[in-house]
Amino acid sequence: MSEQVRVEAAWRRIEGWLQKYAPQSHVMLRAPATSEQIAQTEHVLGCVLPPELRALYLMHDGVHGADADEFGEQPVAPEGEEDAWHRKANAVDFMPNGQAWLPLEHVIAAHGGPLSALTGQETTSFVPVTASARYTMLEGMYLDLTTGLLGVWADAQEPRSLRIGLADWLEEGAAALAEGRPDRVLGMCPYMSPTGDGLTWFDPDPMYEQDGWRPVTN
Protein backbone atom coordinates (compact mmCIF):
# COMPACT_ATOMS: atom_id res chain seq x y z
CA MET A 1 0.00 0.00 0.00
CA SER A 2 1.42 3.39 -0.99
CA GLU A 3 2.14 6.18 1.50
CA GLN A 4 -0.56 8.26 -0.19
CA VAL A 5 -3.25 5.60 0.22
CA ARG A 6 -2.22 5.02 3.84
CA VAL A 7 -2.42 8.76 4.62
CA GLU A 8 -5.87 9.04 3.03
CA ALA A 9 -7.19 6.03 4.95
CA ALA A 10 -5.72 7.16 8.29
CA TRP A 11 -7.08 10.66 7.89
CA ARG A 12 -10.59 9.37 7.12
CA ARG A 13 -10.46 7.45 10.41
CA ILE A 14 -9.41 10.56 12.33
CA GLU A 15 -11.98 12.77 10.63
CA GLY A 16 -14.74 10.23 11.24
CA TRP A 17 -13.83 10.22 14.93
CA LEU A 18 -13.89 14.03 15.07
CA GLN A 19 -17.25 14.20 13.35
CA LYS A 20 -18.76 11.76 15.84
CA TYR A 21 -17.12 12.77 19.11
CA ALA A 22 -15.54 16.24 18.70
CA PRO A 23 -17.86 18.27 16.43
CA GLN A 24 -16.30 21.63 17.38
CA SER A 25 -12.92 20.36 16.19
CA HIS A 26 -14.49 18.91 13.05
CA VAL A 27 -16.02 22.24 12.00
CA MET A 28 -12.58 23.85 12.19
CA LEU A 29 -11.53 21.96 9.06
CA ARG A 30 -11.21 24.08 5.95
CA ALA A 31 -12.38 23.14 2.46
CA PRO A 32 -10.01 21.03 0.35
CA ALA A 33 -7.08 22.83 -1.23
CA THR A 34 -7.13 23.03 -5.02
CA SER A 35 -4.41 21.73 -7.28
CA GLU A 36 -3.74 25.34 -8.21
CA GLN A 37 -3.23 26.33 -4.57
CA ILE A 38 -0.83 23.45 -4.06
CA ALA A 39 1.07 24.38 -7.22
CA GLN A 40 1.34 28.00 -6.03
CA THR A 41 2.62 26.83 -2.65
CA GLU A 42 5.22 24.66 -4.33
CA HIS A 43 6.29 27.60 -6.47
CA VAL A 44 6.78 29.84 -3.42
CA LEU A 45 8.55 27.13 -1.41
CA GLY A 46 10.71 26.10 -4.34
CA CYS A 47 9.98 22.40 -3.90
CA VAL A 48 7.50 19.70 -4.90
CA LEU A 49 5.28 18.29 -2.15
CA PRO A 50 5.34 14.48 -1.92
CA PRO A 51 2.17 12.59 -2.93
CA GLU A 52 1.17 11.79 0.66
CA LEU A 53 1.28 15.46 1.70
CA ARG A 54 -0.54 16.56 -1.45
CA ALA A 55 -3.21 13.97 -0.69
CA LEU A 56 -3.71 15.38 2.80
CA TYR A 57 -4.22 18.91 1.48
CA LEU A 58 -6.56 17.73 -1.26
CA MET A 59 -8.82 16.52 1.58
CA HIS A 60 -8.60 19.74 3.64
CA ASP A 61 -6.52 22.90 3.51
CA GLY A 62 -5.70 22.66 7.19
CA VAL A 63 -7.93 24.32 9.77
CA HIS A 64 -9.50 27.64 10.57
CA GLY A 65 -7.76 29.24 13.55
CA ALA A 66 -4.27 27.83 13.05
CA ASP A 67 -3.28 31.19 14.50
CA ALA A 68 -5.52 31.89 17.51
CA ASP A 69 -5.65 35.57 16.51
CA GLU A 70 -8.15 34.48 13.84
CA PHE A 71 -10.70 34.02 16.62
CA GLY A 72 -10.57 37.72 17.45
CA GLU A 73 -9.55 39.29 20.73
CA GLN A 74 -9.43 36.91 23.66
CA PRO A 75 -12.02 37.83 26.31
CA VAL A 76 -10.46 39.58 29.30
CA ALA A 77 -12.96 38.13 31.77
CA PRO A 78 -14.69 35.20 30.03
CA GLU A 79 -17.61 33.37 31.57
CA GLY A 80 -15.66 30.15 31.88
CA GLU A 81 -14.58 27.89 29.00
CA GLU A 82 -17.96 28.03 27.26
CA ASP A 83 -17.49 31.43 25.62
CA ALA A 84 -17.07 31.25 21.83
CA TRP A 85 -13.38 32.21 21.85
CA HIS A 86 -12.34 29.48 24.27
CA ARG A 87 -14.50 26.80 22.65
CA LYS A 88 -12.70 27.36 19.36
CA ALA A 89 -9.26 27.74 20.93
CA ASN A 90 -9.77 24.50 22.87
CA ALA A 91 -10.79 22.63 19.73
CA VAL A 92 -8.27 23.69 17.07
CA ASP A 93 -5.06 21.97 18.24
CA PHE A 94 -6.47 18.51 17.52
CA MET A 95 -3.73 16.84 15.48
CA PRO A 96 -2.03 13.92 17.31
CA ASN A 97 0.72 16.21 18.60
CA GLY A 98 -1.63 18.75 20.22
CA GLN A 99 -1.15 21.26 17.39
CA ALA A 100 -3.16 22.74 14.54
CA TRP A 101 -2.98 21.53 10.94
CA LEU A 102 -1.56 24.47 8.97
CA PRO A 103 -3.39 25.86 5.93
CA LEU A 104 -1.13 26.31 2.91
CA GLU A 105 -0.84 30.06 3.48
CA HIS A 106 0.50 29.34 6.97
CA VAL A 107 2.83 26.66 5.58
CA ILE A 108 4.40 29.37 3.42
CA ALA A 109 4.66 31.82 6.33
CA ALA A 110 6.19 29.28 8.74
CA HIS A 111 8.57 27.94 6.08
CA GLY A 112 9.88 31.39 5.27
CA GLY A 113 9.96 32.56 8.88
CA PRO A 114 10.49 30.31 11.90
CA LEU A 115 12.02 27.33 10.11
CA SER A 116 14.38 29.40 7.97
CA ALA A 117 15.51 31.29 11.06
CA LEU A 118 16.18 28.06 12.93
CA THR A 119 18.17 26.45 10.14
CA GLY A 120 19.96 29.65 9.15
CA GLN A 121 18.92 29.15 5.54
CA GLU A 122 16.65 31.09 3.24
CA THR A 123 15.33 27.86 1.76
CA THR A 124 14.93 24.51 3.46
CA SER A 125 13.64 21.04 2.72
CA PHE A 126 11.60 21.17 5.94
CA VAL A 127 7.94 21.81 5.08
CA PRO A 128 5.88 22.73 8.17
CA VAL A 129 2.68 20.71 8.60
CA THR A 130 1.40 21.63 12.08
CA ALA A 131 2.04 24.37 14.63
CA SER A 132 0.66 25.35 17.99
CA ALA A 133 -2.20 27.81 17.61
CA ARG A 134 -1.92 28.54 21.34
CA TYR A 135 1.68 29.74 20.97
CA THR A 136 1.34 31.47 17.58
CA MET A 137 3.60 29.18 15.58
CA LEU A 138 6.51 29.16 18.01
CA GLU A 139 6.65 25.36 17.76
CA GLY A 140 5.53 22.86 15.19
CA MET A 141 6.07 19.72 13.14
CA TYR A 142 7.62 19.55 9.69
CA LEU A 143 8.07 16.98 6.92
CA ASP A 144 11.65 16.62 5.69
CA LEU A 145 11.40 16.22 1.91
CA THR A 146 14.86 14.66 1.68
CA THR A 147 14.05 11.77 4.03
CA GLY A 148 10.25 11.61 4.07
CA LEU A 149 10.38 11.76 7.88
CA LEU A 150 8.63 14.10 10.27
CA GLY A 151 10.47 16.31 12.72
CA VAL A 152 9.72 18.93 15.35
CA TRP A 153 10.90 22.51 15.65
CA ALA A 154 10.57 25.07 18.42
CA ASP A 155 11.80 28.57 19.09
CA ALA A 156 15.48 28.66 20.11
CA GLN A 157 15.86 24.88 19.63
CA GLU A 158 17.45 22.77 16.92
CA PRO A 159 14.97 20.90 14.68
CA ARG A 160 14.75 17.22 15.68
CA SER A 161 13.72 14.26 13.54
CA LEU A 162 11.02 11.94 14.85
CA ARG A 163 12.18 9.11 12.56
CA ILE A 164 8.61 8.44 11.44
CA GLY A 165 6.72 9.22 8.25
CA LEU A 166 3.41 11.03 7.78
CA ALA A 167 1.42 7.84 7.20
CA ASP A 168 2.82 6.10 10.30
CA TRP A 169 2.08 9.16 12.44
CA LEU A 170 -1.52 9.52 11.30
CA GLU A 171 -2.16 5.77 11.60
CA GLU A 172 -0.86 5.81 15.17
CA GLY A 173 -3.00 8.88 15.96
CA ALA A 174 -6.11 7.19 14.60
CA ALA A 175 -5.39 4.04 16.62
CA ALA A 176 -4.77 6.04 19.83
CA LEU A 177 -8.13 7.78 19.43
CA ALA A 178 -9.98 4.55 18.73
CA GLU A 179 -8.35 2.75 21.65
CA GLY A 180 -8.40 5.68 24.10
CA ARG A 181 -4.67 5.65 24.90
CA PRO A 182 -1.56 7.83 24.53
CA ASP A 183 0.07 7.74 21.12
CA ARG A 184 3.36 5.90 20.77
CA VAL A 185 5.16 8.63 18.83
CA LEU A 186 5.21 11.52 21.31
CA GLY A 187 3.47 9.83 24.24
CA MET A 188 0.65 12.38 24.21
CA CYS A 189 -2.84 11.56 25.46
CA PRO A 190 -6.06 12.64 23.67
CA TYR A 191 -8.27 14.88 25.81
CA MET A 192 -11.77 16.25 25.33
CA SER A 193 -12.27 19.95 26.01
CA PRO A 194 -14.18 21.17 29.10
CA THR A 195 -17.29 21.66 26.92
CA GLY A 196 -16.98 18.09 25.62
CA ASP A 197 -16.95 18.98 21.92
CA GLY A 198 -13.29 19.67 21.15
CA LEU A 199 -10.17 17.51 21.01
CA THR A 200 -6.56 18.19 21.86
CA TRP A 201 -3.56 16.17 23.04
CA PHE A 202 -1.51 16.73 26.19
CA ASP A 203 1.27 14.95 28.00
CA PRO A 204 -0.58 12.81 30.56
CA ASP A 205 -1.07 14.98 33.64
CA PRO A 206 -3.95 14.95 36.18
CA MET A 207 -3.77 18.75 36.36
CA TYR A 208 -5.63 18.97 33.04
CA GLU A 209 -8.52 17.04 34.53
CA GLN A 210 -8.74 19.58 37.34
CA ASP A 211 -9.26 22.21 34.63
CA GLY A 212 -12.15 20.28 33.14
CA TRP A 213 -10.36 18.32 30.41
CA ARG A 214 -11.17 14.61 30.20
CA PRO A 215 -8.91 11.92 28.70
CA VAL A 216 -10.41 9.98 25.81
CA THR A 217 -11.19 6.42 26.87
CA ASN A 218 -12.23 3.39 24.90
Side-chain angles (χ1 to χ4, degrees):
M1 186 183 299
S2 70
E3 290 287 297
Q4 176 181 339
V5 172
R6 290 174 59 200
V7 163
E8 291 170 340
W11 176 254
R12 290 190 188 101
R13 290 176 61 194
I14 292 174
E15 184 170 354
W17 194 96
L18 293 175
Q19 190 170 21
K20 184 174 182 179
Y21 298 107
Q24 181 64 56
S25 291
H26 186 257
V27 301
M28 308 303 286
L29 289 165
R30 293 165 59 106
T34 66
S35 297
E36 291 75 15
Q37 287 175 311
I38 293 175
Q40 177 62 24
T41 300
E42 291 176 330
H43 175 73
V44 175
L45 298 184
C47 61
V48 176
L49 301 186
E52 65 269 27
L53 190 56
R54 287 179 60 92
L56 196 60
Y57 278 97
L58 286 171
M59 289 187 282
H60 292 284
D61 184 15
V63 295
H64 297 284
D67 184 334
D69 288 345
E70 295 176 41
F71 300 141
E73 187 174 353
Q74 182 175 356
V76 176
E79 298 177 2
E81 298 289 337
E82 294 192 9
D83 69 275
W85 195 96
H86 278 90
R87 284 188 68 184
K88 293 176 183 177
N90 287 339
V92 69
D93 283 331
F94 63 74
M95 295 299 275
N97 58 349
Q99 296 178 355
W101 177 5
L102 294 177
L104 290 174
E105 60 182 311
H106 286 66
V107 169
I108 293 171
H111 181 271
L115 273 176
S116 291
L118 287 172
T119 59
Q121 303 174 19
E122 292 186 3
T123 60
T124 174
S125 64
F126 297 170
V127 175
V129 180
T130 69
S132 173
R134 297 167 187 267
Y135 301 111
T136 318
M137 291 201 290
L138 291 179
E139 59 186 33
M141 178 181 285
Y142 62 85
L143 182 65
D144 185 349
L145 303 188
T146 62
T147 64
L149 301 177
L150 294 167
V152 293
W153 55 269
D155 187 42
Q157 296 182 24
E158 288 292 324
R160 173 175 62 89
S161 175
L162 293 177
R163 303 180 184 276
I164 191 171
L166 185 62
D168 288 328
W169 178 57
L170 292 176
E171 287 172 348
E172 173 57 20
L177 280 175
E179 297 168 19
R181 60 166 173 78
D183 85 291
R184 298 186 179 116
V185 178
L186 296 170
M188 301 186 77
C189 181
Y191 281 82
M192 297 302 298
S193 64
T195 50
D197 55 1
L199 172 72
T200 197
W201 300 67
F202 296 125
D203 293 324
D205 187 333
M207 290 296 295
Y208 295 119
E209 295 184 49
Q210 294 180 24
D211 293 334
W213 294 84
R214 291 292 177 264
V216 172
T217 57
N218 190 342

